[in-house]
Amino acid sequence: MKRISAPRRAASLSAQLVDSLRAHIEAGGWPVGTRIPPEQVLMEELGVGRSTLREAIGALVHLGLLEPRAGDGTMSVPPASCSR
């Protein structure tokens, strides 16, 4: 008898948001050196909560697409500047 595999889990909201924001960055929506909008603005525009947004932004920082700068906000950076 064939074993039934478990259904794949749908991507989490934060993972979907990472994909969406990554596509936005790669399409030039936030050119290199641009400060991204404040959390509150993004939360309202995207219809997500603060923790979901922070998780997605953290993932984009980890991927080297965004860089937090103390006192200056979070900036888009060229992927090549990623030191990881």
Side-chain angles (χ1 to χ4, degrees):
M1 178 180 226
K2 244 185 176 178
R3 184 179 171 144
I4 300 172
S5 59
R8 291 185 176 207
R9 296 181 114 196
S12 69
L13 183 56
S14 63
Q16 293 174 36
L17 188 55
V18 168
D19 291 342
S20 177
L21 293 176
R22 183 178 190 160
H24 181 74
I25 292 167
E26 291 173 347
W30 293 326
V32 171
T34 301
R35 181 179 9 205
I36 69 169
E39 279 184 354
Q40 191 63 39
V41 171
L42 289 173
M43 288 168 39
E44 290 172 8
E45 285 181 3
L46 301 168
V48 297
R50 177 170 275 121
S51 61
T52 300
L53 180 62
R54 285 185 175 178
E55 189 175 333
I57 288 175
L60 292 169
V61 167
H62 183 76
L63 291 170
L65 296 172
L66 296 177
E67 178 179 281
R69 296 185 183 167
D72 207 19
T74 301
M75 313 290 277
S76 62
V77 294
S81 73
C82 179
S83 60
R84 293 165 210 201

